[in-house]
Amino acid sequence: MQQSVISLNLLLKAQLGSAYQLMCYFNSWPQYQPDVGDMKLDDIDPCLCTHLIYSFAGIWENNITVAKRKDLDDYKDFNDLKNRNNKLKTLLSIGCWNFGAGSFITMVSTPKSRYSFITSVIKFLRKYGFDGLNLAWQYPGCYGSPPRDRHLFTILIQSRYLDYIQVMTYDLHGSWDGYTGENSPLYKSPIEAGVKAFHNIKYIMDNWKKKGASPKKLIVGFPAYGHTFILSDSTKTGIGAPSNRGGHPGPYTKKTGLWAYYEICTFLKNGAIEVWNAAQQVPYAFRGNEWVGYDNIKSFHIKAQWLKRNNFGGAMVWAIGMDDYTGSFCDQGTFPLTSTLKRTLKVHSASCQGTALPANVTGSRNSSSGVLEPVLQQSSK
């Protein structure tokens, strides 16, 4: 069943710059887990992306609030990255899947509560130096949110004034399907019909255009991770092979059914067989009863070229900390996936000073004034 995630970006001033946008999420949560060697702020290369999005904040009594007090200490360092790239824009993300719908439902329910939220957002963003807000409500009108919230959400965001629409064209297949499938295929699978035939980037992006969205406002989602499966029969290894559950947690992400790109590289180095899925223009790999559908440099390049041919506005990456940011796992340099998008989209940062600071985790890890302009992001699953 196809589902939708509605998110919102509010920019403090209109964004002009590169012909294509490259919007990158930084997930702050893993860096507070001492047993997970994940990306820190010092590892971020401010020259890669046109926008960096810090995830996540929350809502309390209709006002924006920090999810963790430690985030307040990070905001200055995060926004100081703009000192090294004066074209860089920073946004603060609020919500996410784990956040739930309760605070959002209350916040959009009345003009007074919406005004309180908007006022708090403007004050908060200006205080801490962000250029805008990313509102990641998953999902208005679904999963405990009453149907009327779709209309109230539209009132909140004033859709006709949007600068960009991000489309989360990933999580299109996973262990919930009961069979193997690609996380973010460009084209439909020859073996799938009905609703599942819609689970591909081309269909989703074409549908947005068909509904009237301007292609230049549409930002295509790119995942720096893959979904994993345990095969029910290790002799059946293709697309659509029976699966009984998600794959084993990765050593760093520690999530059943999901591996970061750098964890997939380790899987490939340890004897997995990689297959290029020509029909859908993405790879998959398997070893024994373990199977993963993912993206690599080749698929990112192909998708970015397709994005350009179709005159879309750019790319969005979840999340740069899942790319091989140290360069110590995939032997493809630092940030190989995100760098591929930067090169292919020709995202320039002429005023950018240097690259990331020395990584906290090395190879040994393996043993403002202005008018608020809203930007909607849509995820289709």
Side-chain angles (χ1 to χ4, degrees):
M1 172 179 169
Q2 194 170 14
Q3 302 169 337
S4 297
V5 179
I6 302 288
S7 304
L8 169 71
N9 281 358
L10 296 170
L11 298 179
L12 293 178
K13 48 189 173 182
Q15 172 71 28
L16 299 173
S18 303
Y20 297 101
Q21 308 303 319
L22 179 51
M23 304 178 177
C24 304
Y25 283 83
F26 169 73
N27 184 5
S28 68
W29 289 11
Q31 67 171 327
Y32 302 128
Q33 303 175 26
D35 59 335
V36 178
D38 217 320
M39 177 183 247
K40 308 297 190 292
L41 287 170
D42 286 349
D43 300 317
I44 297 176
D45 183 348
C47 303
L48 278 177
C49 310
T50 61
H51 301 68
L52 284 173
I53 306 173
Y54 190 102
S55 307
F56 295 98
I59 300 175
W60 178 254
E61 296 182 346
N62 300 321
N63 288 346
I64 186 173
T65 185
V66 293
K68 301 174 297 297
R69 299 303 300 178
K70 179 65 171 67
D71 285 339
L72 292 177
D73 298 330
D74 290 340
Y75 290 165
K76 182 182 184 301
D77 291 338
F78 187 77
N79 285 298
D80 279 351
L81 292 169
K82 290 184 285 189
N83 295 332
R84 296 163 58 199
N85 179 1
N86 62 13
K87 299 295 185 183
L88 180 66
K89 299 297 181 183
T90 59
L91 290 84
L92 179 62
S93 184
I94 183 171
C96 86
W97 173 253
N98 294 328
F99 184 71
S103 295
F104 285 120
I105 294 171
T106 303
M107 181 268 291
V108 298
S109 61
T110 69
K112 181 179 179 180
S113 58
R114 293 193 297 270
Y115 179 80
S116 177
F117 175 72
I118 292 168
T119 302
S120 76
V121 163
I122 296 171
K123 181 179 179 180
F124 193 96
L125 297 182
R126 288 175 175 165
K127 178 178 180 180
Y128 292 105
F130 288 96
D131 298 297
L133 176 76
N134 171 255
L135 184 57
W137 181 355
Q138 307 179 15
Y139 306 70
C142 302
Y143 296 98
S145 171
R148 71 188 182 102
D149 283 351
R150 293 188 181 186
H151 174 64
L152 293 173
F153 185 81
T154 303
I155 292 175
L156 174 72
I157 64 173
Q158 293 294 301
S159 299
R160 64 184 179 276
Y161 299 123
L162 302 179
D163 292 305
Y164 298 106
I165 302 169
Q166 289 190 353
V167 187
M168 279 175 54
T169 45
Y170 42 80
D171 294 342
L172 301 180
H173 289 286
S175 57
W176 52 85
D177 288 332
Y179 59 89
T180 59
E182 298 283 8
N183 180 29
S184 181
L186 181 53
Y187 302 115
K188 70 178 182 179
S189 167
I191 69 170
E192 290 186 320
V195 173
K196 290 295 185 181
F198 305 153
H199 287 200
N200 60 85
I201 294 173
K202 182 181 185 302
Y203 175 86
I204 294 168
M205 300 306 296
D206 284 349
N207 191 49
W208 270 94
K209 290 194 293 184
K210 188 184 302 181
K211 297 294 185 181
S214 168
K216 286 295 184 183
K217 289 188 176 184
L218 294 172
I219 306 296
V220 182
F222 285 73
Y225 66 92
H227 279 295
T228 63
F229 305 76
I230 297 297
L231 299 171
S232 301
D233 181 346
S234 60
T235 66
K236 297 178 180 179
T237 58
I239 298 293
S243 168
N244 51 39
R245 64 184 187 278
H248 301 111
Y252 302 106
T253 53
K254 300 186 183 297
K255 292 185 178 180
T256 299
L258 183 148
W259 287 342
Y261 181 61
Y262 58 81
E263 292 172 320
I264 295 170
C265 286
T266 300
F267 183 61
L268 295 173
K269 286 182 176 181
N270 288 337
I273 297 172
E274 184 174 49
V275 178
W276 179 251
N277 179 353
Q280 298 188 283
Q281 294 292 285
V282 281
Y284 64 86
F286 61 90
R287 184 188 64 196
N289 67 349
E290 294 180 297
W291 197 100
V292 59
Y294 60 103
D295 275 273
N296 59 11
I297 287 177
K298 180 179 179 180
S299 66
F300 263 41
H301 176 73
I302 290 171
K303 290 178 182 181
Q305 293 280 35
W306 176 87
L307 177 163
K308 293 167 64 176
R309 289 195 304 271
N310 286 274
N311 299 311
F312 292 120
M316 170 265 288
V317 179
W318 179 269
I320 56 170
M322 303 177 93
D323 199 350
D324 185 17
Y325 64 91
T326 69
S328 59
F329 288 84
C330 303
D331 300 325
Q332 298 167 339
T334 58
F335 298 97
L337 297 180
T338 312
S339 296
T340 296
L341 293 178
K342 179 181 171 67
R343 287 192 300 270
T344 308
L345 298 178
K346 295 182 169 58
V347 174
H348 298 294
S349 51
S351 301
C352 192
Q353 302 173 13
T355 57
L357 298 178
N360 293 331
V361 185
T362 65
S364 62
R365 165 182 162 184
N366 200 32
S367 32
S368 171
S369 63
V371 178
L372 279 171
E373 299 289 342
V375 180
L376 175 69
Q377 302 176 38
Q378 170 77 31
S379 159
S380 297
K381 290 189 178 181

